[in-house]
Amino acid sequence: MYTQPEKRDGAEKLTLASLSKMKAAGEKIACLTAYDASFAALLDHAGVDIVLVGDSLGNVIQGHATTVPVIMDDMVYHSRVVARGLKRAFFIVDMPFMSYPTPERALDNAARLMQQSGAQMVKLEGSGHQADIVRYLNENGVPVCAHLGLRPQNVHKLGGFKVQGRGAAAARQMLKDALALEKAGADIILLELVPQTLAARITAKVKVPVIGIGAGPGVDGQILVLYDMLDITPGRRPKFVRNFMQGAGSPRAAVEAYVKAVKDKSYPAPEHCFD
Ligand code: KIV
């Protein structure tokens, strides 16, 4: 037995087991994206439970219109610097576009993110078709978050950023995909831009924690892109985003207000949800 490094300075590092306990206890999980060490440390101190290095860095850091141009080297660089700011938060890193076309390529790239960046989990944008990839990663000891609903890496296929799972057939398919991905070994499901009743139904059917973005209050936790909730991102704010800088005075106070609002269930409010 050896002393676990993450416990040496007293900060209890969150694990998958801690997140499952939160789901079981009905405690909402507060998640945000980060792309650098300073914001990572701020989020960690403010009590954010999960920090994600999202490939949204393609939009908010690199200025692209989509996440498609983001490559593995970008993810490794930003994850390495974010990891230095984290003590308590569970740490997830996105697999970028075309980094998981086959189980073998997915494993090579996931291993790189875990070994070179310190990721505790990788996230990939999945449908039922990605079950083989999730299974292979799971068999090789890689924790996976499966991202369903709007999958921004597919934007050119989808023809825009639209709510997914509307209508009985699409809703049935998303529930089926969530169950298939859980069975394949996904440890967290993330739902983006999904009608609130469907998201709540999926959350009740799967055992793993479900994190939502634009998926209503009936999920186990919420995530937002940091630059959106701090009102840094230029342009029209999506309906599901609340500007937490309003009345906060500082980024730290805004993030603390976000954690509080997720935990006390005042965010998301009805005006942030889709039917
Ligand atoms: O890339 C990202 O930031 C994400 C969030 C929108 C969940 O996937």
Side-chain angles (χ1 to χ4, degrees), residues 56-71:
S56 52
L57 68 84
N59 305 94
V60 300
I61 303 292
Q62 297 175 333
H64 295 297
T66 74
T67 57
V68 171
V70 178
I71 58 171

Side-chain angles (χ1 to χ4, degrees), residues 37-268:
S38 300
F39 266 123
L42 187 154
L43 268 48
D44 200 84
H45 280 119
V48 171
D49 300 309
I50 296 180
V51 169
L52 166 74
V53 177
D55 61 355
S56 52
L57 68 84
N59 305 94
V60 300
I61 303 292
Q62 297 175 333
H64 295 297
T66 74
T67 57
V68 171
V70 178
I71 58 171
M72 275 297 297
D73 287 350
D74 299 329
M75 298 312 297
V76 170
Y77 172 78
H78 285 279
S79 307
R80 270 189 182 151
V81 300
V82 164
R84 289 182 202 130
L86 301 182
K87 288 197 166 73
R88 172 185 172 273
F90 191 77
F91 184 32
I92 307 182
V93 179
D94 258 346
M95 308 235 357
F97 183 62
M98 281 302 145
S99 65
Y100 49 99
T102 63
E104 292 74 19
R105 286 270 302 281
L107 184 59
D108 284 348
N109 284 319
R112 198 172 159 210
L113 291 175
M114 293 185 77
Q115 294 185 304
Q116 297 180 14
S117 314
Q120 285 169 281
M121 171 177 277
V122 297
K123 173 163 84 61
L124 52 82
E125 296 185 7
S127 66
H129 296 116
Q130 268 75 32
D132 283 348
I133 292 169
V134 172
R135 189 172 303 107
Y136 193 63
L137 292 176
N138 180 49
E139 284 166 2
N140 284 281
V142 177
V144 179
C145 171
H147 181 151
L148 288 168
L150 176 77
R151 293 176 287 137
Q153 291 171 13
N154 281 16
V155 62
H156 298 308
K157 224 33 199 158
L158 296 171
F161 299 99
K162 301 174 191 155
V163 177
Q164 303 294 305
R166 277 190 168 139
R172 255 197 318 276
Q173 186 59 50
M174 200 183 295
L175 175 59
K176 209 169 143 201
D177 285 350
L179 290 167
L181 290 164
E182 180 185 44
K183 190 162 175 227
D187 304 279
I188 292 182
I189 304 280
L190 187 144
L191 299 177
E192 178 165 358
L193 281 197
V194 173
Q196 54 181 329
T197 46
L198 173 60
R201 208 164 132 227
I202 292 173
T203 306
K205 290 271 182 195
V206 300
K207 293 186 185 64
V208 297
V210 177
I211 308 300
I213 173 164
V219 290
D220 301 310
Q222 302 292 331
I223 188 161
L224 285 174
V225 169
L226 179 67
Y227 286 30
D228 289 351
M229 55 79 75
L230 291 181
D231 202 31
I232 293 170
T233 315
R236 193 169 62 86
R237 192 179 318 124
K239 171 186 162 92
F240 59 85
V241 176
R242 181 172 138 195
N243 172 9
F244 282 89
M245 269 307 281
Q246 201 159 33
S250 70
R252 174 177 290 251
V255 172
E256 285 169 354
Y258 169 75
V259 173
K260 180 171 178 302
V262 171
K263 299 277 178 191
D264 70 17
K265 306 178 188 158
S266 56
Y267 176 79

